[in-house]
Amino acid sequence: DKGAAREAAAAATREGFGGRPMAIRMNPVGSRHFGEDVVAVRKSAADYVVVAMVENAKEAADAAWLTGRPALAMIETPKGV
């Protein structure tokens, strides 16, 4: 259940990890789950967002802007290179 997983991830970041940096992985920009992921990240205490299947710099920049967190891009396709 993606909804439960989102809440669990956000809750875990609010509890903290001993001062270590925290990131939450998001579904790809434009996917049907992306909007709900943005909301969950904004409610979290994550320091970074990890964005799956990034295909260009704009996708990473959009995710960073929407979440208010620096974005780490997962380059998983030839198009992303």
Side-chain angles (χ1 to χ4, degrees):
D1 175 24
K2 287 189 179 282
R6 283 184 196 93
E7 182 50 40
T13 64
R14 290 190 295 271
E15 291 176 18
F17 285 87
R20 290 182 290 275
M22 300 173 287
I24 292 180
R25 180 204 177 272
M26 298 177 66
N27 286 288
V29 175
S31 72
R32 67 186 181 110
H33 303 290
F34 183 74
E36 293 173 28
D37 291 348
V38 169
V39 172
V41 170
R42 291 189 66 85
K43 291 180 180 178
S44 79
D47 301 296
Y48 302 94
V49 62
V50 178
V51 188
M53 306 290 292
V54 172
E55 294 190 345
N56 57 60
K58 183 179 183 321
E59 289 181 355
D62 287 351
W65 184 81
L66 289 168
T67 61
R69 311 285 194 296
L72 305 172
M74 294 177 69
I75 308 299
E76 303 176 77
T77 67
K79 191 173 182 180
V81 178

